[in-house]
Amino acid sequence: MKASHHPDYVLPLPEGHPFPMGKYARLHALLLERGVLSPADLMQPDEAAREDLARVHDERYLDTLFGPGPTPTEQRRIGVPWSPRLLRRSRLAVQGTIDAARAALAQGIAGNLAGGTHHAFAGHGEGFCLLNDVAVAIRVLQAGREIAHALVVDLDVHQGNGTAAIFAGDASVFTFSMHGERNYPAVKQRSSLDVGLPDGVGDAAYLEALGMNLPTILRSFDADIVFYLAGVDVASGDRYGRFALSDDGVRARDRLVVDAVRDASLPLVLALAGGYAPSAARTAELHALAFEEAVARERRDAAALRAQRAGAAPGPE
């Protein structure tokens, strides 16, 4: 399985800042330590080109980002202090998702060890999100005629409001968001399908809702690729989540998505999205689950193919 990673996915934040920036480096190390990924599996992205960002983001907004930077009021809305390094980090993550999408088209499954910045709108950032990596990746692939239709499966605990707004009224992209109905953002955008769940939802109810909706979407929408935003802020104890999924529940969720998409023979792209466990290390442990499930499925598929080929080989006469 190919995965995008860059050391500059991490940048310093003020002490006590709630965003777990250290999760990116820890996840990278964890997946290598466990043998989920090898160094040969890793792709190091460049910064996404401005012309690709402009396929989604307004020129006025990009002029601000590439020029003086957001105002203090705009920075408060984004939630992360402004610096040129923040723009670089965001552009790297966008390209990481583009590269992962192309790898998934070629090989079936790929991921970005960042990304899923679904609160970024065309004309502004918010909710720790500066640029919408999945939206840009979809538009880049469509512009190159690499895909026609894309499905976004957003299982972060917070609605993917920026993504929903960007693709509103666009029949070529189906946006599915299953999130906390009473959680951020207070004002929800309209996705192609929104499933709002109550605070405190646990494994059984969550998995039942997902199992009722995802297979139907996969049957009814003619997708060429699926982007999975595997936010782990659904886990019990998350600072901003208010759900109560166990680790086993999060893993079962990830397995359900991976298996449903691959059973449909569709390319799958993993992106991290949110997660605010008590420590960056704990957050990385939760993020690792989706990659473990994806690689396990990839290995099962490869083993089944080898067995099929061996069975089809002619025996001795």
Side-chain angles (χ1 to χ4, degrees), residues 14-130:
E15 185 175 353
H17 193 280
F19 189 82
M21 189 65 73
K23 72 179 186 177
Y24 301 108
R26 182 60 192 137
L27 176 62
H28 168 253
L30 196 61
L31 295 176
L32 291 175
E33 288 167 8
R34 293 180 177 176
V36 179
L37 299 176
S38 72
D41 295 323
L42 297 173
M43 306 178 292
Q44 185 164 295
D46 296 320
E47 295 177 53
R50 175 167 172 158
E51 55 264 35
D52 284 338
L53 302 179
R55 299 180 191 279
V56 167
H57 292 287
D58 297 345
E59 286 291 352
R60 181 177 297 179
Y61 180 49
L62 294 177
D63 285 343
T64 297
L65 297 182
F66 282 82
T71 66
T73 299
E74 292 166 337
Q75 290 184 52
R76 284 192 293 274
R77 189 176 195 180
I78 295 167
V80 182
W82 171 252
S83 70
R85 287 183 65 182
L86 176 62
L87 176 59
R88 169 174 164 77
R89 184 222 168 276
S90 300
R91 292 174 67 191
L92 289 169
V94 170
Q95 190 63 46
T97 297
I98 296 170
D99 293 349
R102 287 186 167 134
L105 288 171
Q107 301 180 9
I109 307 178
N112 187 4
L113 305 189
T117 45
H118 58 168
H119 298 310
F121 285 69
H124 72 269
E126 63 178 65
F128 304 143
C129 301
L130 193 71

Side-chain angles (χ1 to χ4, degrees), residues 225-309:
I225 192 169
V226 179
F227 291 83
Y228 174 33
L229 279 69
V232 296
D233 38 15
V234 297
S236 179
D238 188 88
R239 178 173 184 166
Y240 297 124
R242 307 211 296 260
F243 279 3
L245 270 68
S246 67
D247 288 18
D248 287 344
V250 176
R251 183 183 290 279
R253 175 201 69 168
D254 295 337
R255 184 184 306 124
L256 192 160
V257 174
V258 170
D259 285 346
V261 173
R262 295 304 293 147
D263 286 350
S265 300
L266 292 171
L268 176 62
V269 186
L270 306 181
L272 298 194
Y276 309 92
S279 69
R282 167 66 176 155
T283 306
E285 289 273 355
L286 290 165
H287 279 307
L289 299 177
F291 288 86
E292 290 173 356
E293 290 302 316
V295 169
R297 173 59 191 251
E298 187 178 57
R299 290 171 179 170
R300 289 196 302 272
D301 287 347
L305 182 59
R306 287 193 299 270
Q308 181 182 17
R309 289 174 174 169

